[in-house]
Amino acid sequence: MREEIVEQEERLLNGDEAVAWAAYHVEPDVVAAYPITPQTIIVERFSEFVADGLVRTEFVSVESEHSAMSACVGAAAAGGRAFTATAANGLQLMNEILYIASSLRLPIVMAIANRAVSGPINIHCDHTDAMNVRDAGWVMLFCEDAQEVYDTIIQAFKIAENPKVLLPVMVNFDGFLISHTAQKVKVFKDPSVVREKFLGGPRKPVKIKLMGKEVELSLNPKNPVPVTFGPLDLYDYYYEHKMQQLVAIQNAYDVVKEVHEEYAKLSGRRYGNGVIVPYKLDDAEIAVVAMGSAPGTMRYVIDEMREEGIKIGLLRVRLFRPFPYKDIIEALRNVKVVGVFDRAQNQGMMGGPLFLETRAALYELESRPEVVNYIFGLGGRDAPPEMFREAFDELVGIYRGTISPFIRKYIGVRE
Amino acid sequence: MMPKKDFVEIRMHGRGGQGAWTASIILAQAALVEGKYSQSFPEFGPERSGAPVTAYARIGPSPIDIHAGITNPDYVIVIDPTLVHMATVGVKENGKIIAASAKSPEELRRALNLSDSIELWVVDGVRIAIETIGIAIANTAMLGAFVRATDGKVVSLDALIKATRNVLGPRLSEEAVNKNIQAIKRAYEEVKKG
């Protein structure tokens, strides 16, 4: 299909500002948020856009993250486009409402500047916050840099509002490493490209038949028959509703890919197939798997080792929920050793969440690779190329049979 | 796209409130003005007025995909003279230190016990800031000194001035922006190698 890339302008934006610009270009009906580092700049910038009259968004300052998500639930149930942002403990405080948002099938979009969860109190990057809510029924995407953050926030609304999905979407990016790092970001020159052309104007809630009449699935007072959101749902129907939700999150897999492709035609930017981003995997014997910003750093190490003739490649997982296990199986089908890098805690678990699911996916293969786990970068501990090089060399050792495989290791930490 | 390690790394020392992070944003913006790629980030942590803070930048001709701290910078810029002792930490062989100081380059080189492989450029940025802007904040002046010390190869003086207008324009009066540009030009002229 012919691509018609729309006019864009270059700006120096950090990850938080990129989110604010994306939200400006989307112009949600309601933004409800509570400040928390390292997400604060998002809401600061966005409130400036509101104050400057660039958006007609209803900006709601709330007293907690629990209230922020509750306000988004109300706004989305009323048929609006709702957006919020948080991190770490703020996300944990929202937990109860996260499940309600997904079960009510509300297409809320939320940005997460991933941060370690207290305690001890720490404001820096790891993915533990997102991993704690990974089963809340949200679609979860992980971005590598500020450009991808801008692009993905915009895509998230279209994914969320697709009638086959109707689920909230969480867009993750590394706190400070991305949230506070300014880089060149291309943004659409004309916001209507996002609002009108890409999203097709204001949100249009789906229509359903109710008591013989067509009604909007929202708390719209103009509905000829009133609609209820969130009634008691016991053993007679709860399970059926959960089944619908399970179908919806699986549907999101195709929709994430479709929306990514549609957006690429406007922007000229692609991130793999939208769910995974392979790098030099075609002939690889050894593969590393990671999410967030670390893959950027890892590519330098991969290149260095490729120059030395080592057949190593990288798989960046962009979509974490629904987990793209089929893509992962295909991408890693021919490798002999896999190192999965989790930037999250695994208290009492066999390994990090990304490791466990990657390893489980690869169980499907008849000839399975060795799969080992590295935990790194907790609480913002620096993750430089040298640290990855040391771990990658170990994977080469496993491949050559000079090092025995193991389950998990903690790297970049004092013992 | 294959990432290339063709960027330079810059570290800046100042005190909270002296605009070290802003200076790194101006540098990153100057790179954009020239069609280059850049990153700018603060020392990741809470900001405390008056406490020593560091800010960082990477600048290069290709996209910069590395997302890790800078431990061995090519260039170190010291905005606050009382922090000059921090400049030497981790600086690369054949790197450059651009320091605000009332001392002569020779004096400062001796005081820092600097190896011959590291180039030292010194200018009294604080005096220039007081004389031009009217406050003892040398962040913009030291960027002028940096451009001279790097022969305009990281970013040009022209790009730096444009970027300063871009970044400070929305925050300061036009008069204050012009004074900052004066500070940049003066430090560019007056900085001495030693």
Side-chain angles (χ1 to χ4, degrees):
Chain A
M1 200 184 284
R2 209 161 71 88
E3 303 204 359
E4 283 181 58
I5 294 167
V6 173
E7 196 180 5
Q8 296 168 62
E9 55 187 8
E10 287 176 354
R11 291 186 168 270
L12 185 76
L13 301 176
N14 63 37
D16 278 357
E17 290 171 327
V19 173
W21 273 81
Y24 157 30
H25 287 172
V26 168
E27 194 183 30
D29 297 296
V30 173
V31 171
Y34 188 79
I36 183 169
T37 303
Q39 161 280 138
T40 312
I41 303 167
I42 299 173
V43 193
E44 282 174 1
R45 286 292 175 280
F46 190 77
S47 65
E48 286 168 16
F49 294 141
V50 175
D52 292 346
L54 293 169
V55 288
R56 290 156 298 178
T57 303
E58 184 71 32
F59 186 85
V60 191
S61 293
V62 288
E63 74 280 21
S64 76
E65 288 85 356
H66 192 280
S67 302
M69 187 46 64
S70 299
C72 286
V73 163
R81 199 168 264 156
F83 173 75
T84 188
T86 192
N89 295 43
L91 184 58
Q92 310 316 309
L93 185 56
M94 279 182 184
N95 196 305
E96 177 190 9
I97 314 299
L98 297 181
Y99 281 77
I100 290 170
S102 60
S103 68
L104 294 183
R105 310 292 299 280
L106 300 174
I108 298 161
V109 172
M110 173 159 61
I112 306 290
N114 295 118
R115 159 181 158 179
V117 177
S118 304
I121 191 163
N122 177 299
I123 58 170
H124 297 292
C125 173
D126 70 40
H127 296 168
T128 305
D129 55 358
M131 290 301 142
N132 279 357
V133 299
R134 67 186 185 274
D135 300 327
W138 285 56
V139 175
M140 294 173 76
L141 291 147
F142 281 80
C143 304
E144 187 183 302
D145 66 7
Q147 178 70 66
E148 189 178 351
V149 170
Y150 171 82
D151 296 335
T152 307
I153 292 283
I154 293 169
Q155 292 170 22
F157 284 94
K158 188 144 191 172
I159 297 163
E161 292 170 17
N162 186 297
K164 285 187 284 184
V165 179
L166 280 181
L167 285 173
V169 178
M170 197 181 291
V171 178
N172 294 272
F173 54 100
D174 288 357
F176 285 102
L177 291 164
I178 300 304
S179 71
H180 283 56
T181 299
Q183 65 163 81
K184 185 189 288 192
V185 176
K186 283 186 179 174
V187 303
F188 292 110
K189 218 163 178 173
D190 177 4
S192 76
V193 168
V194 175
R195 293 174 201 172
E196 306 301 328
K197 194 169 179 176
F198 186 66
L199 293 174
R203 185 184 151 208
K204 292 171 202 70
V206 296
K207 299 264 171 55
I208 54 164
K209 278 260 191 243
L210 199 62
M211 297 169 76
K213 291 195 169 132
E214 189 177 74
V215 299
E216 202 181 270
L217 186 57
S218 75
L219 299 174
N220 186 344
K222 288 182 188 143
N223 270 336
V225 180
V227 176
T228 302
F229 275 75
L232 189 64
D233 193 11
L234 300 177
Y235 45 67
D236 48 355
Y237 273 109
Y238 178 91
Y239 202 171
E240 282 72 23
H241 287 135
K242 280 293 147 191
M243 287 309 294
Q244 290 182 346
Q245 206 185 316
L246 287 163
V247 170
I249 199 157
Q250 288 310 328
N251 287 347
Y253 170 84
D254 284 333
V255 175
V256 168
K257 279 183 159 178
E258 286 161 21
V259 169
H260 169 262
E261 191 52 34
E262 199 182 326
Y263 184 87
K265 289 191 171 81
L266 283 180
S267 67
R269 288 183 293 280
R270 277 184 180 76
Y271 304 97
N273 65 358
V275 302
I276 59 162
V277 189
Y279 183 72
K280 300 194 175 174
L281 269 181
D282 286 347
D283 63 340
E285 305 278 3
I286 300 158
V288 298
V289 181
M291 298 197 296
S293 72
T297 308
M298 288 172 165
R299 285 201 295 277
Y300 291 89
V301 184
I302 302 272
D303 283 357
E304 188 180 275
M305 293 174 78
R306 280 278 175 177
E307 273 169 29
E308 295 164 20
I310 299 161
K311 288 185 174 173
I312 185 165
L314 162 73
L315 181 68
R316 175 160 78 86
V317 176
R318 181 171 185 261
L319 178 68
F320 186 69
R321 284 289 181 268
F323 193 68
Y325 58 95
K326 285 179 186 160
D327 294 78
I328 289 174
I329 294 167
E330 281 318 306
L332 302 180
R333 182 174 284 284
N334 298 317
V335 303
K336 305 290 181 291
V337 178
V338 179
V340 184
F341 288 73
D342 272 282
R343 195 168 200 148
Q345 290 184 40
N346 65 318
Q347 303 288 340
M349 293 155 71
M350 181 176 160
L354 182 61
F355 164 72
L356 292 181
E357 296 201 29
T358 303
R359 203 175 200 245
L362 297 177
Y363 189 84
E364 293 296 311
L365 292 172
E366 269 180 39
S367 148
R368 294 177 205 122
E370 289 290 345
V371 189
V372 301
N373 190 200
Y374 291 93
I375 309 280
F376 74 101
L378 298 187
R381 175 61 50 84
D382 195 24
E386 301 74 32
M387 183 189 80
F388 290 129
R389 175 69 206 236
E390 212 175 298
F392 294 3
D393 280 341
E394 207 166 54
L395 298 173
V396 175
I398 294 172
Y399 173 69
R400 290 179 181 156
T402 57
I403 293 175
S404 303
F406 48 86
I407 300 289
R408 61 174 187 264
K409 273 199 177 181
Y410 300 86
I411 54 172
V413 64
R414 293 182 288 260
E415 292 199 356
Chain B
M1 202 187 307
M2 186 157 148
K4 286 190 209 129
K5 247 185 181 159
D6 52 5
F7 51 81
V8 296
E9 296 183 317
I10 303 155
R11 185 177 73 214
M12 295 178 208
H13 295 279
R15 290 186 180 275
Q18 291 178 338
W21 190 12
T22 303
S24 80
I25 290 170
I26 293 173
L27 265 190
Q29 178 73 37
L32 240 71
V33 168
E34 288 193 338
K36 291 179 179 167
Y37 292 83
S38 57
Q39 286 181 347
S40 147
F41 51 97
E43 179 185 37
F44 298 139
E47 290 147 45
R48 296 146 300 161
S49 189
V53 295
T54 32
Y56 302 88
R58 290 188 174 99
I59 294 175
S62 330
I64 302 169
D65 293 341
I66 194 164
H67 301 290
I70 292 173
T71 43
N72 300 111
D74 299 274
Y75 308 112
V76 177
I77 303 173
V78 182
I79 293 166
D80 188 304
T82 63
L83 300 174
V84 74
H85 59 282
M86 298 169 108
T88 54
V89 179
V91 63
K92 260 184 203 151
E93 281 287 300
N94 306 314
K96 296 181 189 190
I97 294 172
I98 300 99
S101 176
K103 291 195 171 87
S104 74
E106 297 72 26
E107 253 182 295
L108 194 58
R109 178 172 283 282
R110 269 198 306 278
L112 292 174
N113 196 16
L114 208 56
S115 107
D116 288 343
S117 69
I118 293 169
E119 234 177 66
L120 177 67
W121 290 75
V122 182
V123 67
D124 194 349
V126 175
R127 184 179 49 80
I128 289 174
I130 291 171
E131 288 172 10
T132 52
I133 312 164
I135 46 169
I137 292 181
N139 63 341
T140 42
M142 294 316 294
L143 293 180
F146 167 78
V147 169
R148 174 72 178 279
T150 50
D151 204 16
K153 281 176 185 150
V154 179
V155 295
S156 68
L157 187 62
D158 200 37
L160 175 64
I161 290 169
K162 278 190 186 129
T164 304
R165 288 198 189 283
N166 287 345
V167 175
L168 297 185
R171 303 188 198 176
L172 303 177
S173 69
E174 202 186 331
E175 192 193 355
V177 174
N178 287 335
K179 285 173 175 174
N180 273 280
I181 287 164
Q182 234 184 306
I184 288 173
K185 287 180 179 166
R186 267 195 57 189
Y188 180 89
E189 293 299 331
E190 292 178 25
V191 67
K192 296 267 183 316
K193 186 170 141 182

